[in-house]
Amino acid sequence: MSYQPLDTNVANRVIDAAGLGTIREKVDAGERLSSDDGMLLYETPSLAAVGHLAHRVRSRLHGDKAFFNNNLHINYTNICQYSCKFCAFAAKEGEDRAYLMNGEAVEKKLREYDDLAPTEVHMVAGIHPTMGYDYYLEVVRAAKRARPDIHVKAFTMVEIDHMLKISGKSEEEVFQDLRDAGLGSCPGGGAEVLVDRVHKAVFREKQSPQGWLDTARKVQKAGFKMNATMLYGHIERKSECVEHMIKLRDLQDECGNFMAFIPLAFWPYHTDLANYGHETTGWMDLRAIAVSRLMLDNFPNIKAYWIMLTPQSAQTALAFGANDIDGTVTEEKITHDAGTSAPESLPRDELVHLIREAGFTPVQRTTTYEELEVVTG
Ligand code: V47
């Protein structure tokens, strides 16, 4: 069985009937969408119409391929000097749940998963108030000691900015140190919603939206590839999500080193926003995926991260614009501390099954989207 979208003429009628005819014409002509278009895509009641259009773009770029990878997550410390309202992971030094992994512990953790033959380790953590610059380099070196061939995707723009500030070195030296230690690329976290109102309300102590963009520019100009995320489902407005996407699109025009956009569904449990509203819904998750596929015309990949979306929604997202469901993951703390109902890891077979059952061809990829294996049979 292969995923069969509607015949193009029928899909066009569904899209036009939803009032998206002008947007469809722009998408078919490869024209860029405006922020008003983004709002219409968020507000039209017909999610199916937005999904058909997003699927059209995704198919143009990737055919029926859907990517996954063999990866591990290591959240090397939860001790953090900030107290963001959306975060259940952060702890203060001395609290029972606070932990800090040294290089040896990172090395040991990676070796525990030798059987999985991971090609990537994803490492992000809290901003520890006292650990020095060398600690960050040691965490990367430790991962490479355990598995010299592994791709280390580590440090959000918040961590990079922190290193730039505490290192006492020039930007060029810091990026060279990171490269020498073995850093391969950076994950997309910490962006949250790149709008000052949301920053003030929920993560005011942490790096500002402009600070995140400026650091991402430095990282990309230094030659590193990276991802970008958007944390939705809390106090943000639809217009702010559109603004967030347009800021990323502008930066991608300038630098071109974003690999994937990853909408992150907010999990509220044990956070300061626990009583604010609801978990995100399938409806909201699919809308975020589809709108981002259409607005981010210069991003090659849209990732449906199953840990935050759940495996069920991530699978469905493949027909709404996503072309990647991330990886095996294995140990993840940030979303699990906030109550995600997703498991802590998925075996490779399960990722392949999710993709195949939705009618797509599973392709194991590297972190930077080179194809390692088209899984057949
Ligand atoms: O920046 C924090 C988010 C991010 C919650 O680049 C929460 O491939 C939901 O960036 N509910 C870290 N989300 C994770 C991240 C990531 C994950 C997977 C792949 C990639 C990639 C990047 O987690 C943080 C923040 O935005 N987060 N708290 C929460 N309660």
Side-chain angles (χ1 to χ4, degrees), residues 86 122 153 187-190 192 227 231 262 265 267 303 305 308 338:
F86 57 77
H122 165 119
K153 179 184 71 175
E192 323 312 358
N227 292 328
L231 182 68
I262 314 158
W267 285 87
K303 188 193 284 190
Y305 178 47
M308 285 185 196

Side-chain angles (χ1 to χ4, degrees), residues 262-281:
I262 314 158
L264 301 176
F266 173 59
W267 285 87
Y269 305 104
H270 317 296
T271 75
D272 287 351
L273 301 175
N275 298 321
Y276 179 76
H278 305 273
E279 287 177 16
T280 67
T281 58

Side-chain angles (χ1 to χ4, degrees), residues 201-215:
V202 296
F203 57 110
R204 69 161 60 230
E205 301 164 352
K206 202 170 75 169
Q207 188 182 48
S208 68
Q210 195 53 51
W212 191 93
L213 291 163
D214 289 343
T215 310

Side-chain angles (χ1 to χ4, degrees), residues 68 71 99 101 136 172 185 205 209 231 237 250 260 266 277 311 347 368 370 377:
F68 70 95
N71 66 348
Y99 71 88
M101 292 168 77
Y136 293 89
E172 291 71 28
S185 65
E205 301 164 352
L231 182 68
R237 301 172 181 145
D250 288 346
F266 173 59
T368 49
E370 285 85 26

